[in-house]
Amino acid sequence: ARGWLARASPLGGELLGATRTATKMAGGTTKNGRDSNPKFLGTKLFGGQACLAGNIIVRQRGTKIHPGVHVGMGRDHTLFALNAGYVHFSVDSHKKRKYVNVFPTRDNPFVQKRDARKQLLAAKMR
């Protein structure tokens, strides 16, 4: 039977004893085989979507996107809504920063003010 070998006894004669033998080929070692758990980062609410106070808008590492109007930032840089409203993303080209805002209406009030100012200036020029 497998694993049984005859051995010489130190007292003389033969002994039958069990010796363990390999039943599978030896496998090598590996340096791979590890992975970290997923962190589920990214944008959770996109521009124009409705949100409630406390809803997570962006989960990120570092401040890739900065908090704007009615948006708070957690200690892990998660951006969340402070008030209910609609999500709006904007870019400040001078500071080279992206911002996320939450406005009470679907339209951005800052863009409306800027457009109204342009129309007023255009009317004065005529």
Side-chain angles (χ1 to χ4, degrees):
R2 173 179 273 167
W4 289 90
L5 295 174
R7 287 189 285 173
S9 169
L11 304 173
E14 282 191 14
L15 284 176
L16 280 178
T19 302
R20 184 151 185 214
T21 59
T23 57
K24 292 186 178 171
M25 193 170 93
T29 60
T30 180
K31 291 182 181 179
N32 301 322
R34 293 172 304 283
D35 196 7
S36 60
N37 292 330
K39 302 302 175 206
F40 302 106
L41 301 176
T43 305
K44 307 302 178 189
L45 291 175
F46 294 92
Q49 284 188 296
C51 67
L52 300 173
N55 280 15
I56 292 175
I57 302 169
V58 179
R59 286 186 47 83
Q60 59 187 350
R61 293 288 171 259
T63 51
K64 190 168 184 158
I65 301 173
H66 292 264
V69 179
H70 303 301
V71 176
M73 184 166 64
R75 64 179 193 169
D76 64 345
H77 301 107
T78 296
L79 302 180
F80 57 91
L82 294 174
N83 294 341
Y86 294 91
V87 177
H88 180 267
F89 288 88
S90 61
V91 178
D92 185 352
S93 58
H94 297 294
K95 289 186 177 180
K96 297 181 181 173
R97 284 187 176 181
K98 294 178 186 174
Y99 291 94
V100 62
N101 307 291
V102 173
F103 297 122
T105 60
R106 202 176 280 273
D107 299 320
N108 181 350
F110 295 116
V111 172
Q112 289 175 346
K113 284 182 187 176
R114 188 174 64 219
D115 291 344
R117 201 176 312 126
K118 281 184 182 178
Q119 289 173 355
L120 187 66
L121 286 172
K124 284 183 180 179
M125 298 286 274
R126 287 185 215 157

